[in-house]
Amino acid sequence: VRLVESGGGLVQPGGSLRLSCAASGLTFGDYGVGWFRQAPEKEREGVSCLAWDGGSPYYLDSVKDRFTISRDNAKNTLFLQMNNLKPEDTATYHCAVREYGGKLACLGPGVMNYWGKGIPVTISS
């Protein structure tokens, strides 16, 4: 299984980024998916997750109404649209999957089966 993130970078406060996660080596539609982030000297936290069988997503409170998670099972790809970015969103963002996982996997990163290497996102003027 391979997960590869893209779309990160440096953006000014108030800007937008769209992260992508290309998955291979698995039946993507059988997996719950999520985005996690880790800032320096902080614990990894779940940003947004989708259950394998659909339903409403989970969002970390601090990103609600700013971030949108989506998936394209036909293309084996996970997305995270991030708008109105703030300096506190600065972190390395990882995608992760869990077979038949639910959205609450976001609350316990340790349950995820596979992880991408992560991509840095920096919000700074």
Side-chain angles (χ1 to χ4, degrees), residues 13-46:
S16 297
L17 284 172
R18 189 189 195 208
L19 303 184
S20 299
C21 173
S24 59
L26 76 170
T27 304
F28 190 62
D30 288 346
Y31 283 77
V33 295
W35 290 97
F36 298 78
R37 69 186 182 188
Q38 187 164 18
E41 301 183 358
K42 291 189 176 181
E43 291 187 356
R44 187 170 294 188
E45 61 183 356

Side-chain angles (χ1 to χ4, degrees), residues 46-70:
V47 175
S48 183
C49 292
L50 274 172
W52 73 279
D53 56 351
S56 60
Y58 165 90
Y59 291 103
L60 184 67
D61 282 348
S62 61
V63 308
K64 284 181 181 177
D65 301 322
R66 299 191 297 123
F67 290 11
T68 302
I69 190 172
S70 61

